Amino acid sequence: MQHPIETAVGEKHIGTSGVIFTPVLPTSIPRYDRFVSAGGGVLIDAVPACTRLASKSEEIGAEWVHYPNPEGDTYFRHAQRQIVTQSNVRVPSTARWLLLAHDYLIELGRSKNLQIVEFEVYMHIVSKSLAACEVEYYFVDNRYRHPFWLHVARVQDLGLAAFETLDHLKAALMPEYWTHREYFPAHQPHDQASEKELIAIFRHGCADDMTSFGSMFPYGAQECRDHLRTLEGFVASGEPSSYRTATFARLWGSITRVRHINGYSLPGPRLDRNQGLAEFKNGQRPNFILRVLDILFLTLSRPKFDRITELWNGRVVFQRHWHVYFEELRSEWLRLAVLGLALFIVGGIAIVVRGPTPLVAAATSLASLSVISALALYERHSRWRFNTASDISSWIRSVESSRSGLLPLAIKFTMPQTTAMYSAFLLLMALLMLAADSLRESDSINSAMLLAAAFAPAIIVYLVLGVDTWNGTGDTSDQLVDAREPRFEELEV
């Protein structure tokens, strides 16, 4: 399910007869923010004789038709005037205000030399009284696939960014067009050309993902095959339906949003995931406290910072790459939890045998901190919490610092690793000092045991984690290979 952007209140325009107009976007419709009905209406305990119920649509009077949306929402349409609305036109005053507002818009459109009656219009009554009414609206151009308005609309009020050219504006408005088709699909005309184009886009995206590490397509190859199976199944059925229209529109909306972000068909587009990575990384400026923490963490957070920055470059979530990275992190955190537990046990034995010393106590405390932080991170970043791209995008935006970027997140991810390393180092020093004391006391057996135990942390680090882990889990910045370039070592002669 798509989540619309935060509703933006546009500039109001006062028309005749007390109607106030506000230009809006389809994504500003509070579709998922409305209260769920609690069923508090008057209950009826008898079914009238000869009651017949409409199955898909319901005619209201001689003008309006009531349609259901595949998700369960409903809307009304005036076929002759091409009005769609979610305002309850069963209320006579609501229907009158809508028709009055539409009459004014038609007159205004004709004054601008537009064939305005040919375009569909969304209208919604925000508030009304006996003397005035506030209406949100937008028109839809099906030929060029974008909404438009008859009043001047400030992009800031609409919730859009400022644009350089009309091509940039169209790129920003095309996702809004497909959102409109998804929200109001039951009456939409069948668009065979856009369906064929979308299927071709997914076929190309599947091939692009399989042959290019830096593919900018928002779906992986397997996801493309799954979507193609669905889309081609609709086409093979040969029957237009609201489910078919809404499905194609939702995927079109996803594709056009990513294209807008990447500057598709505009000057200087992003063609690879790592394009512009250096600029994005240099734009993150950590403060003094984060720099000190980074030093205390022995700069172990840098590889994770580089990897997360690479994945978030362009602020587009490619969930297949994030899922791989999260699997690597969860595997590392589990191994670090095992290592921390082993260090805690070794420290506890040393305390029992030789008594508590500052170094052993500090090492044991750090080991317990490593275990707790590793298990906490593992639980908070489990697979079910980051199952979709929307989940990942919402999470990364909530933890990203406006100034320091992603370094605070990288430092947090490195805490189990850093505390385990400090614990192993302190425990090694403590055991070597205990071994030296035993040698001075001529206790050769205890000395040998302590010397063996002194190297236990290093052995555990090497066996459990491996050498590459200390260089950062999953750091592939030096291993990026683009499959669009031939890799001759893989060819057979």
Side-chain angles (χ1 to χ4, degrees), residues 171-368:
L173 292 180
M174 285 189 69
E176 302 292 335
Y177 168 79
W178 292 110
T179 298
H180 171 80
R181 286 185 66 92
E182 180 193 351
Y183 287 0
F184 309 103
H187 70 282
Q188 297 291 346
H190 179 54
D191 190 350
Q192 186 176 7
S194 70
E195 292 183 352
K196 290 182 178 180
E197 184 180 0
L198 185 64
I199 290 175
I201 289 172
F202 270 92
R203 287 173 176 169
H204 173 266
C206 181
D208 190 48
D209 181 71
M210 290 189 296
T211 58
S212 169
F213 180 85
S215 171
M216 294 302 298
F217 200 69
Y219 299 99
Q222 184 57 48
E223 293 174 300
C224 289
R225 287 189 284 268
D226 293 339
H227 286 311
L228 281 171
R229 191 178 301 113
T230 300
L231 299 178
E232 291 171 347
F234 275 124
V235 174
S237 68
E239 295 182 1
S241 67
S242 61
Y243 302 97
R244 177 174 176 175
T245 301
T247 302
F248 274 88
R250 175 170 295 188
L251 292 176
W252 258 118
S254 176
I255 296 299
T256 51
R257 283 186 184 89
V258 174
R259 285 183 169 184
H260 172 229
I261 294 172
N262 295 328
Y264 179 85
S265 76
L266 297 173
R270 184 188 302 276
L271 304 177
D272 188 275
R273 282 196 309 113
N274 296 315
Q275 192 174 350
L277 178 59
E279 293 81 358
F280 180 49
K281 187 182 298 183
N282 294 333
Q284 305 180 54
R285 303 182 182 278
N287 55 32
F288 176 75
I289 296 177
L290 287 175
R291 294 181 186 275
V292 172
L293 283 175
D294 191 32
I295 295 173
L296 291 177
F297 276 47
L298 307 177
T299 66
L300 293 174
S301 59
R302 284 294 168 176
K304 288 183 173 59
F305 169 75
D306 293 339
R307 183 72 181 279
I308 298 172
T309 301
E310 171 198 321
L311 291 173
W312 187 229
N313 184 37
R315 287 182 165 79
V316 178
V317 169
F318 298 88
Q319 61 179 352
R320 58 195 182 279
H321 300 294
W322 278 97
H323 285 164
V324 170
Y325 183 54
F326 277 132
E327 288 297 330
E328 294 173 356
L329 285 176
R330 285 190 285 266
S331 177
E332 177 189 342
W333 290 330
L334 283 180
R335 287 181 291 168
L336 284 167
V338 174
L339 170 63
L341 181 60
L343 293 172
F344 182 82
I345 293 174
V346 173
I349 294 174
I351 291 175
V352 171
V353 174
R354 303 290 295 186
T357 63
L359 282 178
V360 175
T364 306
S365 300
L366 287 172
S368 63

Side-chain angles (χ1 to χ4, degrees), residues 408-424:
L409 180 64
I411 291 176
K412 183 175 76 171
F413 282 175
T414 315
M415 180 172 289
Q417 180 179 342
T418 307
T419 51
M421 176 171 282
Y422 274 120
S423 175

